[in-house]
PDB file of all heavy atoms in Angstrom:
ATOM      1  N   ASN M 284      -9.814  32.150 -18.525  1.00  0.00           N
ATOM      2  CA  ASN M 284     -11.011  32.981 -18.404  1.00  0.00           C
ATOM      3  C   ASN M 284     -12.239  32.109 -18.196  1.00  0.00           C
ATOM      4  O   ASN M 284     -12.132  30.886 -18.156  1.00  0.00           O
ATOM      5  CB  ASN M 284     -11.164  33.939 -19.601  1.00  0.00           C
ATOM      6  CG  ASN M 284     -11.127  33.219 -20.917  1.00  0.00           C
ATOM      7  OD1 ASN M 284     -11.685  32.131 -21.041  1.00  0.00           O
ATOM      8  ND2 ASN M 284     -10.467  33.802 -21.895  1.00  0.00           N
ATOM      9  N   LYS M 285     -13.377  32.784 -18.023  1.00  0.00           N
ATOM     10  CA  LYS M 285     -14.636  32.083 -17.706  1.00  0.00           C
ATOM     11  C   LYS M 285     -14.410  31.109 -16.546  1.00  0.00           C
ATOM     12  O   LYS M 285     -14.790  29.936 -16.614  1.00  0.00           O
ATOM     13  CB  LYS M 285     -15.180  31.381 -18.944  1.00  0.00           C
ATOM     14  CG  LYS M 285     -15.455  32.385 -20.077  1.00  0.00           C
ATOM     15  CD  LYS M 285     -16.134  31.770 -21.266  1.00  0.00           C
ATOM     16  CE  LYS M 285     -16.348  32.835 -22.351  1.00  0.00           C
ATOM     17  NZ  LYS M 285     -16.778  32.308 -23.618  1.00  0.00           N
ATOM     18  N   ILE M 286     -13.742  31.597 -15.498  1.00  0.00           N
ATOM     19  CA  ILE M 286     -13.406  30.757 -14.344  1.00  0.00           C
ATOM     20  C   ILE M 286     -14.658  30.552 -13.489  1.00  0.00           C
ATOM     21  O   ILE M 286     -15.306  31.516 -13.106  1.00  0.00           O
ATOM     22  CB  ILE M 286     -12.292  31.436 -13.505  1.00  0.00           C
ATOM     23  CG1 ILE M 286     -11.016  31.593 -14.348  1.00  0.00           C
ATOM     24  CG2 ILE M 286     -12.014  30.667 -12.236  1.00  0.00           C
ATOM     25  CD1 ILE M 286      -9.943  32.476 -13.704  1.00  0.00           C
ATOM     26  N   LYS M 287     -15.007  29.293 -13.208  1.00  0.00           N
ATOM     27  CA  LYS M 287     -16.186  29.001 -12.387  1.00  0.00           C
ATOM     28  C   LYS M 287     -15.804  27.970 -11.336  1.00  0.00           C
ATOM     29  O   LYS M 287     -15.235  26.930 -11.658  1.00  0.00           O
ATOM     30  CB  LYS M 287     -17.296  28.387 -13.240  1.00  0.00           C
ATOM     31  CG  LYS M 287     -17.956  29.300 -14.232  1.00  0.00           C
ATOM     32  CD  LYS M 287     -19.252  29.859 -13.652  1.00  0.00           C
ATOM     33  CE  LYS M 287     -20.013  30.705 -14.647  1.00  0.00           C
ATOM     34  NZ  LYS M 287     -19.272  31.773 -15.246  1.00  0.00           N
ATOM     35  N   ILE M 288     -16.131  28.264 -10.081  1.00  0.00           N
ATOM     36  CA  ILE M 288     -15.890  27.278  -9.017  1.00  0.00           C
ATOM     37  C   ILE M 288     -17.182  26.487  -8.818  1.00  0.00           C
ATOM     38  O   ILE M 288     -18.265  27.065  -8.796  1.00  0.00           O
ATOM     39  CB  ILE M 288     -15.439  28.001  -7.727  1.00  0.00           C
ATOM     40  CG1 ILE M 288     -14.053  28.619  -7.965  1.00  0.00           C
ATOM     41  CG2 ILE M 288     -15.416  27.037  -6.543  1.00  0.00           C
ATOM     42  CD1 ILE M 288     -13.547  29.508  -6.867  1.00  0.00           C
ATOM     43  N   PHE M 289     -17.069  25.143  -8.729  1.00  0.00           N
ATOM     44  CA  PHE M 289     -18.285  24.335  -8.553  1.00  0.00           C
ATOM     45  C   PHE M 289     -17.974  23.176  -7.602  1.00  0.00           C
ATOM     46  O   PHE M 289     -16.812  22.898  -7.299  1.00  0.00           O
ATOM     47  CB  PHE M 289     -18.785  23.823  -9.920  1.00  0.00           C
ATOM     48  CG  PHE M 289     -17.848  22.866 -10.619  1.00  0.00           C
ATOM     49  CD1 PHE M 289     -18.064  21.494 -10.583  1.00  0.00           C
ATOM     50  CD2 PHE M 289     -16.727  23.343 -11.319  1.00  0.00           C
ATOM     51  CE1 PHE M 289     -17.196  20.617 -11.227  1.00  0.00           C
ATOM     52  CE2 PHE M 289     -15.870  22.470 -11.970  1.00  0.00           C
ATOM     53  CZ  PHE M 289     -16.104  21.101 -11.927  1.00  0.00           C
ATOM     54  N   SER M 290     -19.018  22.510  -7.125  1.00  0.00           N
ATOM     55  CA  SER M 290     -18.818  21.402  -6.171  1.00  0.00           C
ATOM     56  C   SER M 290     -18.888  20.069  -6.902  1.00  0.00           C
ATOM     57  O   SER M 290     -19.750  19.863  -7.752  1.00  0.00           O
ATOM     58  CB  SER M 290     -19.897  21.433  -5.092  1.00  0.00           C
ATOM     59  OG  SER M 290     -19.797  22.653  -4.404  1.00  0.00           O
ATOM     60  N   LYS M 291     -17.973  19.179  -6.529  1.00  0.00           N
ATOM     61  CA  LYS M 291     -17.986  17.815  -7.065  1.00  0.00           C
ATOM     62  C   LYS M 291     -17.948  16.926  -5.840  1.00  0.00           C
ATOM     63  O   LYS M 291     -16.900  16.828  -5.200  1.00  0.00           O
ATOM     64  CB  LYS M 291     -16.726  17.631  -7.927  1.00  0.00           C
ATOM     65  CG  LYS M 291     -16.894  16.674  -9.083  1.00  0.00           C
ATOM     66  CD  LYS M 291     -15.622  16.728  -9.939  1.00  0.00           C
ATOM     67  CE  LYS M 291     -15.709  15.805 -11.117  1.00  0.00           C
ATOM     68  NZ  LYS M 291     -14.523  15.807 -11.939  1.00  0.00           N
ATOM     69  N   GLY M 292     -19.085  16.338  -5.509  1.00  0.00           N
ATOM     70  CA  GLY M 292     -19.152  15.625  -4.227  1.00  0.00           C
ATOM     71  C   GLY M 292     -18.946  16.623  -3.105  1.00  0.00           C
ATOM     72  O   GLY M 292     -19.606  17.651  -3.031  1.00  0.00           O
ATOM     73  N   LEU M 293     -17.952  16.339  -2.260  1.00  0.00           N
ATOM     74  CA  LEU M 293     -17.683  17.250  -1.137  1.00  0.00           C
ATOM     75  C   LEU M 293     -16.532  18.197  -1.445  1.00  0.00           C
ATOM     76  O   LEU M 293     -16.106  18.956  -0.590  1.00  0.00           O
ATOM     77  CB  LEU M 293     -17.373  16.439   0.134  1.00  0.00           C
ATOM     78  CG  LEU M 293     -18.538  15.590   0.657  1.00  0.00           C
ATOM     79  CD1 LEU M 293     -18.080  14.682   1.783  1.00  0.00           C
ATOM     80  CD2 LEU M 293     -19.685  16.485   1.117  1.00  0.00           C
ATOM     81  N   GLU M 294     -16.018  18.092  -2.669  1.00  0.00           N
ATOM     82  CA  GLU M 294     -14.833  18.897  -2.992  1.00  0.00           C
ATOM     83  C   GLU M 294     -15.195  20.088  -3.862  1.00  0.00           C
ATOM     84  O   GLU M 294     -16.136  20.042  -4.660  1.00  0.00           O
ATOM     85  CB  GLU M 294     -13.811  18.036  -3.766  1.00  0.00           C
ATOM     86  CG  GLU M 294     -13.231  16.921  -2.946  1.00  0.00           C
ATOM     87  CD  GLU M 294     -12.271  16.061  -3.773  1.00  0.00           C
ATOM     88  OE1 GLU M 294     -12.432  15.965  -5.018  1.00  0.00           O
ATOM     89  OE2 GLU M 294     -11.359  15.487  -3.159  1.00  0.00           O
ATOM     90  N   ASP M 295     -14.405  21.155  -3.718  1.00  0.00           N
ATOM     91  CA  ASP M 295     -14.533  22.296  -4.628  1.00  0.00           C
ATOM     92  C   ASP M 295     -13.624  22.071  -5.827  1.00  0.00           C
ATOM     93  O   ASP M 295     -12.444  21.753  -5.665  1.00  0.00           O
ATOM     94  CB  ASP M 295     -14.113  23.602  -3.922  1.00  0.00           C
ATOM     95  CG  ASP M 295     -15.244  24.147  -3.076  1.00  0.00           C
ATOM     96  OD1 ASP M 295     -16.409  23.745  -3.313  1.00  0.00           O
ATOM     97  OD2 ASP M 295     -14.977  24.957  -2.166  1.00  0.00           O
ATOM     98  N   TRP M 296     -14.182  22.257  -7.004  1.00  0.00           N
ATOM     99  CA  TRP M 296     -13.411  22.167  -8.235  1.00  0.00           C
ATOM    100  C   TRP M 296     -13.516  23.490  -8.974  1.00  0.00           C
ATOM    101  O   TRP M 296     -14.348  24.321  -8.639  1.00  0.00           O
ATOM    102  CB  TRP M 296     -13.941  21.022  -9.130  1.00  0.00           C
ATOM    103  CG  TRP M 296     -13.403  19.680  -8.713  1.00  0.00           C
ATOM    104  CD1 TRP M 296     -13.529  19.095  -7.487  1.00  0.00           C
ATOM    105  CD2 TRP M 296     -12.647  18.767  -9.510  1.00  0.00           C
ATOM    106  NE1 TRP M 296     -12.907  17.874  -7.465  1.00  0.00           N
ATOM    107  CE2 TRP M 296     -12.347  17.644  -8.708  1.00  0.00           C
ATOM    108  CE3 TRP M 296     -12.190  18.771 -10.823  1.00  0.00           C
ATOM    109  CZ2 TRP M 296     -11.615  16.563  -9.172  1.00  0.00           C
ATOM    110  CZ3 TRP M 296     -11.470  17.684 -11.300  1.00  0.00           C
ATOM    111  CH2 TRP M 296     -11.178  16.594 -10.469  1.00  0.00           C
ATOM    112  N   VAL M 297     -12.664  23.664  -9.953  1.00  0.00           N
ATOM    113  CA  VAL M 297     -12.743  24.891 -10.744  1.00  0.00           C
ATOM    114  C   VAL M 297     -12.737  24.519 -12.223  1.00  0.00           C
ATOM    115  O   VAL M 297     -11.997  23.639 -12.656  1.00  0.00           O
ATOM    116  CB  VAL M 297     -11.607  25.885 -10.380  1.00  0.00           C
ATOM    117  CG1 VAL M 297     -10.234  25.294 -10.635  1.00  0.00           C
ATOM    118  CG2 VAL M 297     -11.748  27.198 -11.134  1.00  0.00           C
ATOM    119  N   ARG M 298     -13.630  25.171 -12.965  1.00  0.00           N
ATOM    120  CA  ARG M 298     -13.703  24.962 -14.410  1.00  0.00           C
ATOM    121  C   ARG M 298     -13.239  26.257 -15.063  1.00  0.00           C
ATOM    122  O   ARG M 298     -13.593  27.348 -14.599  1.00  0.00           O
ATOM    123  CB  ARG M 298     -15.146  24.670 -14.792  1.00  0.00           C
ATOM    124  CG  ARG M 298     -15.349  24.254 -16.236  1.00  0.00           C
ATOM    125  CD  ARG M 298     -16.819  24.015 -16.568  1.00  0.00           C
ATOM    126  NE  ARG M 298     -17.369  22.856 -15.866  1.00  0.00           N
ATOM    127  CZ  ARG M 298     -18.411  22.917 -15.035  1.00  0.00           C
ATOM    128  NH1 ARG M 298     -19.006  24.072 -14.795  1.00  0.00           N
ATOM    129  NH2 ARG M 298     -18.852  21.826 -14.437  1.00  0.00           N
ATOM    130  N   PHE M 299     -12.447  26.166 -16.116  1.00  0.00           N
ATOM    131  CA  PHE M 299     -11.935  27.399 -16.730  1.00  0.00           C
ATOM    132  C   PHE M 299     -11.555  27.123 -18.176  1.00  0.00           C
ATOM    133  O   PHE M 299     -11.415  25.965 -18.585  1.00  0.00           O
ATOM    134  CB  PHE M 299     -10.719  27.937 -15.952  1.00  0.00           C
ATOM    135  CG  PHE M 299      -9.607  26.933 -15.747  1.00  0.00           C
ATOM    136  CD1 PHE M 299      -8.500  26.918 -16.581  1.00  0.00           C
ATOM    137  CD2 PHE M 299      -9.675  25.993 -14.713  1.00  0.00           C
ATOM    138  CE1 PHE M 299      -7.487  25.993 -16.398  1.00  0.00           C
ATOM    139  CE2 PHE M 299      -8.667  25.057 -14.527  1.00  0.00           C
ATOM    140  CZ  PHE M 299      -7.559  25.057 -15.364  1.00  0.00           C
ATOM    141  N   GLU M 300     -11.418  28.204 -18.923  1.00  0.00           N
ATOM    142  CA  GLU M 300     -10.999  28.072 -20.315  1.00  0.00           C
ATOM    143  C   GLU M 300      -9.625  28.690 -20.475  1.00  0.00           C
ATOM    144  O   GLU M 300      -9.340  29.739 -19.896  1.00  0.00           O
ATOM    145  CB  GLU M 300     -11.978  28.820 -21.238  1.00  0.00           C
ATOM    146  CG  GLU M 300     -13.143  27.967 -21.655  1.00  0.00           C
ATOM    147  CD  GLU M 300     -14.081  28.684 -22.617  1.00  0.00           C
ATOM    148  OE1 GLU M 300     -13.622  29.623 -23.302  1.00  0.00           O
ATOM    149  OE2 GLU M 300     -15.251  28.302 -22.671  1.00  0.00           O
ATOM    150  N   VAL M 301      -8.785  28.052 -21.269  1.00  0.00           N
ATOM    151  CA  VAL M 301      -7.445  28.584 -21.538  1.00  0.00           C
ATOM    152  C   VAL M 301      -7.322  28.809 -23.046  1.00  0.00           C
ATOM    153  O   VAL M 301      -7.736  27.968 -23.836  1.00  0.00           O
ATOM    154  CB  VAL M 301      -6.357  27.580 -21.070  1.00  0.00           C
ATOM    155  CG1 VAL M 301      -4.965  28.088 -21.428  1.00  0.00           C
ATOM    156  CG2 VAL M 301      -6.467  27.347 -19.571  1.00  0.00           C
ATOM    157  N   ASN M 302      -6.781  29.981 -23.413  1.00  0.00           N
ATOM    158  CA  ASN M 302      -6.399  30.204 -24.819  1.00  0.00           C
ATOM    159  C   ASN M 302      -4.888  30.011 -24.839  1.00  0.00           C
ATOM    160  O   ASN M 302      -4.147  30.943 -24.567  1.00  0.00           O
ATOM    161  CB  ASN M 302      -6.721  31.638 -25.262  1.00  0.00           C
ATOM    162  CG  ASN M 302      -8.193  31.980 -25.087  1.00  0.00           C
ATOM    163  OD1 ASN M 302      -8.549  32.841 -24.303  1.00  0.00           O
ATOM    164  ND2 ASN M 302      -9.038  31.289 -25.812  1.00  0.00           N
ATOM    165  N   PRO M 303      -4.410  28.783 -25.118  1.00  0.00           N
ATOM    166  CA  PRO M 303      -2.990  28.498 -24.901  1.00  0.00           C
ATOM    167  C   PRO M 303      -2.054  29.186 -25.891  1.00  0.00           C
ATOM    168  O   PRO M 303      -0.871  29.318 -25.638  1.00  0.00           O
ATOM    169  CB  PRO M 303      -2.899  26.981 -25.034  1.00  0.00           C
ATOM    170  CG  PRO M 303      -4.120  26.581 -25.788  1.00  0.00           C
ATOM    171  CD  PRO M 303      -5.158  27.616 -25.572  1.00  0.00           C
ATOM    172  N   LEU M 304      -2.591  29.615 -27.037  1.00  0.00           N
ATOM    173  CA  LEU M 304      -1.721  30.212 -28.047  1.00  0.00           C
ATOM    174  C   LEU M 304      -1.813  31.734 -27.983  1.00  0.00           C
ATOM    175  O   LEU M 304      -2.900  32.299 -28.011  1.00  0.00           O
ATOM    176  CB  LEU M 304      -2.113  29.734 -29.451  1.00  0.00           C
ATOM    177  CG  LEU M 304      -2.098  28.212 -29.634  1.00  0.00           C
ATOM    178  CD1 LEU M 304      -2.486  27.840 -31.046  1.00  0.00           C
ATOM    179  CD2 LEU M 304      -0.730  27.644 -29.311  1.00  0.00           C
ATOM    180  N   GLN M 305      -0.636  32.367 -27.915  1.00  0.00           N
ATOM    181  CA  GLN M 305      -0.607  33.825 -27.798  1.00  0.00           C
ATOM    182  C   GLN M 305      -1.340  34.522 -28.926  1.00  0.00           C
ATOM    183  O   GLN M 305      -1.983  35.525 -28.739  1.00  0.00           O
ATOM    184  CB  GLN M 305       0.854  34.303 -27.827  1.00  0.00           C
ATOM    185  CG  GLN M 305       1.432  34.449 -26.457  1.00  0.00           C
ATOM    186  CD  GLN M 305       2.946  34.409 -26.504  1.00  0.00           C
ATOM    187  OE1 GLN M 305       3.533  33.371 -26.372  1.00  0.00           O
ATOM    188  NE2 GLN M 305       3.577  35.541 -26.700  1.00  0.00           N
ATOM    189  N   ASP M 306      -1.212  33.963 -30.143  1.00  0.00           N
ATOM    190  CA  ASP M 306      -1.713  34.719 -31.294  1.00  0.00           C
ATOM    191  C   ASP M 306      -2.958  34.098 -31.916  1.00  0.00           C
ATOM    192  O   ASP M 306      -3.255  34.307 -33.073  1.00  0.00           O
ATOM    193  CB  ASP M 306      -0.610  34.823 -32.355  1.00  0.00           C
ATOM    194  CG  ASP M 306      -0.021  33.465 -32.661  1.00  0.00           C
ATOM    195  OD1 ASP M 306      -0.502  32.473 -32.067  1.00  0.00           O
ATOM    196  OD2 ASP M 306       0.911  33.377 -33.478  1.00  0.00           O
ATOM    197  N   ASN M 307      -3.693  33.290 -31.129  1.00  0.00           N
ATOM    198  CA  ASN M 307      -4.914  32.718 -31.695  1.00  0.00           C
ATOM    199  C   ASN M 307      -5.961  32.527 -30.604  1.00  0.00           C
ATOM    200  O   ASN M 307      -6.000  31.503 -29.943  1.00  0.00           O
ATOM    201  CB  ASN M 307      -4.602  31.380 -32.373  1.00  0.00           C
ATOM    202  CG  ASN M 307      -5.810  30.858 -33.124  1.00  0.00           C
ATOM    203  OD1 ASN M 307      -6.935  31.290 -32.898  1.00  0.00           O
ATOM    204  ND2 ASN M 307      -5.575  29.917 -34.020  1.00  0.00           N
ATOM    205  N   ARG M 308      -6.819  33.540 -30.451  1.00  0.00           N
ATOM    206  CA  ARG M 308      -7.790  33.463 -29.362  1.00  0.00           C
ATOM    207  C   ARG M 308      -8.951  32.542 -29.673  1.00  0.00           C
ATOM    208  O   ARG M 308      -9.751  32.225 -28.812  1.00  0.00           O
ATOM    209  CB  ARG M 308      -8.334  34.865 -29.054  1.00  0.00           C
ATOM    210  CG  ARG M 308      -7.592  35.496 -27.912  1.00  0.00           C
ATOM    211  CD  ARG M 308      -8.168  36.808 -27.490  1.00  0.00           C
ATOM    212  NE  ARG M 308      -9.482  36.701 -26.918  1.00  0.00           N
ATOM    213  CZ  ARG M 308     -10.054  37.664 -26.224  1.00  0.00           C
ATOM    214  NH1 ARG M 308      -9.399  38.784 -26.021  1.00  0.00           N
ATOM    215  NH2 ARG M 308     -11.262  37.538 -25.743  1.00  0.00           N
ATOM    216  N   SER M 309      -9.060  32.107 -30.951  1.00  0.00           N
ATOM    217  CA  SER M 309     -10.220  31.274 -31.251  1.00  0.00           C
ATOM    218  C   SER M 309      -9.998  29.832 -30.798  1.00  0.00           C
ATOM    219  O   SER M 309     -10.924  29.042 -30.756  1.00  0.00           O
ATOM    220  CB  SER M 309     -10.560  31.346 -32.739  1.00  0.00           C
ATOM    221  OG  SER M 309      -9.465  30.929 -33.499  1.00  0.00           O
ATOM    222  N   ILE M 310      -8.743  29.465 -30.433  1.00  0.00           N
ATOM    223  CA  ILE M 310      -8.527  28.135 -29.861  1.00  0.00           C
ATOM    224  C   ILE M 310      -8.661  28.245 -28.348  1.00  0.00           C
ATOM    225  O   ILE M 310      -7.936  28.987 -27.695  1.00  0.00           O
ATOM    226  CB  ILE M 310      -7.155  27.551 -30.244  1.00  0.00           C
ATOM    227  CG1 ILE M 310      -7.177  27.167 -31.726  1.00  0.00           C
ATOM    228  CG2 ILE M 310      -6.803  26.347 -29.372  1.00  0.00           C
ATOM    229  CD1 ILE M 310      -5.944  26.475 -32.208  1.00  0.00           C
ATOM    230  N   SER M 311      -9.640  27.519 -27.829  1.00  0.00           N
ATOM    231  CA  SER M 311      -9.941  27.638 -26.410  1.00  0.00           C
ATOM    232  C   SER M 311     -10.105  26.236 -25.854  1.00  0.00           C
ATOM    233  O   SER M 311     -10.805  25.419 -26.443  1.00  0.00           O
ATOM    234  CB  SER M 311     -11.243  28.437 -26.298  1.00  0.00           C
ATOM    235  OG  SER M 311     -11.611  28.535 -24.980  1.00  0.00           O
ATOM    236  N   ILE M 312      -9.428  25.938 -24.754  1.00  0.00           N
ATOM    237  CA  ILE M 312      -9.507  24.584 -24.178  1.00  0.00           C
ATOM    238  C   ILE M 312     -10.212  24.660 -22.833  1.00  0.00           C
ATOM    239  O   ILE M 312      -9.825  25.441 -21.955  1.00  0.00           O
ATOM    240  CB  ILE M 312      -8.096  23.982 -24.031  1.00  0.00           C
ATOM    241  CG1 ILE M 312      -7.464  23.836 -25.421  1.00  0.00           C
ATOM    242  CG2 ILE M 312      -8.141  22.640 -23.305  1.00  0.00           C
ATOM    243  CD1 ILE M 312      -6.065  23.277 -25.423  1.00  0.00           C
TER     244      ILE M 312
END
Side-chain angles (χ1 to χ4, degrees):
N284 54 39
K285 300 186 181 170
I286 298 169
K287 290 263 184 306
I288 293 172
F289 65 100
S290 299
K291 211 173 180 181
L293 295 172
E294 294 178 332
D295 278 341
W296 278 58
V297 61
R298 188 182 293 121
F299 53 98
E300 273 183 24
V301 176
N302 303 115
L304 303 180
Q305 266 159 268
D306 51 2
N307 188 343
R308 264 185 66 165
S309 58
I310 288 185
S311 177
I312 297 179

